[in-house]
C-alpha cells in the first residue's frame, strides 16, 4: 500500500509562547530605550548650553546616536505588531502547507530582523519557520527576494548614518524643549542637507580646557584663517599659487604624480601678518680694509751699497793712532775703516792717511789667508 504523507506540523505551545514573549520583550525594550533617550536629550541640552562656548560637535554626535535609538524603537513597534498578527493567525499558518500571501511580508520581516535586534525570541521564531517552509524560503527572506520586506523596518534598522539636516533638526528641537538659547555655528548648504554629518574638526573645543588658562579672546584652532590649517597648506605650496609661490599640492601628493614644477620654492616676500612675532636681524656690511700702498719699484741701478766691516788680521795691530780705538790696521798701516764712522771717504782724513786701491787689495788677500 502507498504510504501516507505525514501530517503538517501543528503549532506547539512553545511556538505560541515564543510569539507572546516576543511581544512582551519588544514592549520592555522600547520602554527602556525611551527612558534612556530622555536622559540623552538632557545631556545634549547641557552640551548646547555649555559656557563659554557650546560643545556643538559633541552634541551632534550624541544626536546621531539618539536618532539611531529612536529609529530602533520605531522598528520595535512595527515588529511588535507583526508578532501579534502572526500569533492571531497561527491556526491559518498551521493548516496551510505554503505561506499565506497576506502573511509573507510579516514572516519575512521577522526572519530578516532576527539578526538585527536584541530580541532572542525572534531566533526561535525563525527556526520554527525554517522547519516549516525550508531553507530556501529563509534565504529568500534574508535576501529580500521580490521586495517583500517592510520598507520602513528596513530603513529604520539600516546601518547608514542619518542626514546632517535630520541631526540639526533634532538639536533645534532639543534646544527649544529645554529652553536653550542656541543657534548652529555652521549653516548647512543645499548640498549638505541630504549628506551625512561631516567628521568633527574641533572648532567647538575650548583652548586649554584642562587648566582654563587660555588668554581671553583667543579663538579655538580651525581649518581656515591664520595658523597652519588648510589655508596655509595651500598658500605655502599648494600648486595653485598664493604667497608660497607654488609647491606640492595636497591633491597631487595624494595621487603621487607630483612633478618638478610642484617642488616648493622659497617665497620672494614672506606673507605679512602671520609671522610678525618672529624677530629679524638686519645685515650690516663690514667695512673694507684699506688697500695697501704699492711698493716702489726697485731699480737695478738704484741700490745702496751695504757697509762691510772688515776685522783686523789676528796678531796684527797698532802702527796707527786709531788701531787700538776701533780702527783696523794691516802691517802697521791703517785701513781707514772706523767702527764709529760708516761713511766711505776717499780723502784719508779718518785714520792714518789715505789708502790706495793696491793697499786694499793687499789687505783683502791677507784676510783671505
Amino acid at each position: 500500500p502507498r504510504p501516507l504523507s505525514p501530517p503538517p506540523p501543528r503549532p506547539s505551545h512553545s511556538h505560541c509562547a515564543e510569539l507572546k514573549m516576543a511581544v512582551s520583550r519588544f514592549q520592555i525594550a522600547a520602554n527602556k530605550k525611551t527612558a534612556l533617550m530622555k536622559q540623552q536629550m538632557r545631556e545634549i541640552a547641557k552640551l548646547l548650553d555649555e559656557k563659554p562656548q557650546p560643545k556643538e560637535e559633541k552634541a551632534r554626535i550624541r544626536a546621531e546616536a539618539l536618532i539611531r535609538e529612536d529609529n530602533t524603537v520605531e522598528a520595535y513597534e512595527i515588529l511588535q505588531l507583526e508578532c501579534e498578527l502572526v500569533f492571531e493567525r497561527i491556526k491559518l499558518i498551521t493548516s496551510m502547507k505554503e505561506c499565506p500571501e497576506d502573511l509573507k511580508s510579516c514572516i519575512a520581516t521577522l526572519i530578516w530582523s532576527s539578526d538585527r535586534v536584541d530580541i532572542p525570541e525572534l531566533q526561535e521564531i525563525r527556526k520554527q519557520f525554517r522547519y516549516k517552509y525550508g531553507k530556501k524560503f529563509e534565504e529568500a527572506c534574508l535576501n529580500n527576494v521580490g521586495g517583500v520586506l517592510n520598507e520602513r523596518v528596513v530603513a529604520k534598522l539600516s546601518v547608514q548614518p542619518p542626514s546632517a539636516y535630520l541631526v540639526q533638526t533634532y538639536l533645534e528641537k532639543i534646544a527649544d524643549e529645554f529652553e536653550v538659547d542656541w543657534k548652529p555655528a555652521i549653516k548647512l548648504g543645499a548640498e549638505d542637507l541630504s549628506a551625512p554629518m561631516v567628521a568633527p574638526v574641533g572648532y567647538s573645543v575650548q583652548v586649554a580646557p584642562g587648566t582654563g588658562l587660555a588668554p581671553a579672546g583667543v579663538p579655538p584652532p580651525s581649518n581656515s584663517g591664520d595658523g597652519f590649517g588648510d589655508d596655509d597648506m595651500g598658500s605655502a605650496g599648494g600648486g595653485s599659487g598664493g604667497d608660497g609661490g607654488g609647491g606640492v599640492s595636497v591633491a597631487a601628493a595624494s595621487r603621487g604624480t607630483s612633478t618638478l614644477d610642484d617642488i616648493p620654492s622659497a617665497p620672494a616676500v614672506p606673507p605679512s601678518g602671520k609671522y610678525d612675532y618672529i624677530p629679524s636681524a638686519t645685515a650690516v656690511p663690514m667695512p673694507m680694509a684699506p688697500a695697501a700702498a704699492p711698493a716702489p719699484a726697485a731699480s737695478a741701478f738704484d741700490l745702496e751699497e751695504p757697509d762691510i766691516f772688515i776685522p783686523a788680521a789676528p796678531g796684527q795691530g797698532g802702527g796707527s793712532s786709531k788701531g787700538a780705538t776701533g780702527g783696523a790696521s794691516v802691517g802697521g798701516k791703517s785701513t781707514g775703516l772706523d767702527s764709529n764712522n760708516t761713511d766711505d771717504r776717499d780723502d784719508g782724513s779718518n785714520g792714518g792717511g789715505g789708502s790706495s786701491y793696491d793697499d786694499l787689495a793687499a789687505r783683502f788677500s791677507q784676510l783671505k789667508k
Side-chain angles (χ1 to χ4, degrees):
R2 185 177 180 181
L4 299 176
S5 59
R10 295 185 178 184
S12 59
H13 294 287
S14 61
H15 196 172
C16 296
E18 294 293 339
L19 289 171
K20 290 297 292 184
M21 290 180 63
V23 172
S24 301
R25 184 81 68 176
F26 277 123
Q27 186 64 38
I28 295 173
N31 294 338
K32 183 178 179 180
K33 286 184 177 295
T34 302
L36 293 176
M37 288 166 59
K38 292 181 179 179
Q39 181 179 357
Q40 292 176 1
M41 291 173 62
R42 287 192 294 268
E43 294 178 356
I44 293 174
K46 290 182 180 179
L47 293 175
L48 296 178
D49 198 25
E50 192 78 19
K51 301 299 180 182
Q53 184 175 359
K55 297 183 178 180
E56 184 176 333
E57 290 178 304
K58 183 178 290 186
R60 289 182 181 273
I61 298 175
R62 298 287 182 86
E64 182 173 335
L66 181 66
I67 293 172
R68 191 175 298 279
E69 293 294 329
D70 206 359
N71 292 339
T72 304
V73 172
E74 186 177 345
Y76 281 2
E77 296 287 345
I78 301 175
L79 293 175
Q80 181 181 358
L81 295 176
E82 293 180 347
C83 287
E84 290 180 355
L85 178 61
V86 173
F87 177 77
E88 293 297 332
R89 297 186 182 183
I90 192 65
K91 294 181 179 180
L92 177 64
I93 296 173
T94 305
S95 61
M96 295 180 64
K97 186 176 182 180
E98 300 294 333
C99 181
E101 292 295 330
D102 56 344
L103 292 179
K104 276 187 176 181
S105 178
C106 292
I107 296 175
T109 303
L110 292 175
I111 294 176
W112 178 84
S113 60
S114 60
D115 293 334
R116 292 169 174 82
V117 295
D118 298 331
I119 306 298
E121 285 78 12
L122 283 185
Q123 294 289 343
E124 297 297 330
I125 295 173
R126 175 180 173 179
K127 291 180 181 179
Q128 293 291 337
F129 286 123
R130 182 173 67 243
Y131 293 154
K132 181 172 179 60
Y133 300 122
K135 292 185 179 181
K136 291 184 179 181
F137 179 81
E138 181 186 19
E139 293 178 359
C141 295
L142 295 176
N143 298 326
N144 194 16
V145 177
V148 296
L149 296 179
N150 191 314
E151 295 181 358
R152 190 175 176 185
V153 174
V154 173
K156 297 304 177 181
L157 296 180
S158 176
V159 295
Q160 297 298 327
S163 62
Y165 172 75
L166 186 59
V167 173
Q168 183 165 328
T169 303
Y170 266 67
L171 292 178
E172 293 176 354
K173 295 293 183 181
I174 293 174
D176 293 341
E177 182 177 351
F178 290 89
E179 299 179 354
V180 177
D181 186 12
W182 170 82
K183 296 297 180 182
I186 298 178
K187 295 182 179 181
L188 298 177
E191 65 279 359
D192 300 331
L193 296 178
S194 59
M197 182 182 62
V198 297
V201 295
Y203 66 88
S204 62
V205 179
Q206 183 183 358
V207 178
T211 59
L213 300 179
V218 177
S222 60
N223 279 4
S224 60
D226 294 338
F228 297 93
D230 295 339
D231 182 60
D232 290 318
M233 292 177 65
S235 62
S240 60
D243 296 335
V248 182
S249 61
V250 178
S254 61
R255 293 193 305 267
T257 58
S258 60
T259 60
L260 293 178
D261 297 335
D262 295 331
I263 299 177
S265 59
V269 179
S272 61
K274 293 187 177 181
Y275 311 106
D276 293 341
Y277 62 92
I278 300 178
S280 60
T282 304
V284 178
M286 297 183 64
M288 298 295 295
S299 176
F301 303 98
D302 195 15
L303 297 178
E304 296 181 357
E305 274 188 23
D307 296 336
I308 302 175
F309 173 73
I310 302 176
Q316 297 180 3
S320 172
S321 61
K322 290 191 177 182
T325 60
S329 61
V330 178
K333 296 181 179 181
S334 175
T335 61
L337 297 179
D338 192 357
S339 60
N340 295 328
N341 189 7
T342 58
D343 296 334
D344 296 333
R345 298 182 181 181
D346 296 332
D347 54 358
S349 62
N350 189 11
S355 299
S356 63
Y357 178 79
D358 295 336
D359 294 335
L360 291 176
R363 295 170 189 166
F364 276 109
S365 60
Q366 183 70 21
L367 291 176
K368 289 180 181 180
K369 296 178 182 180

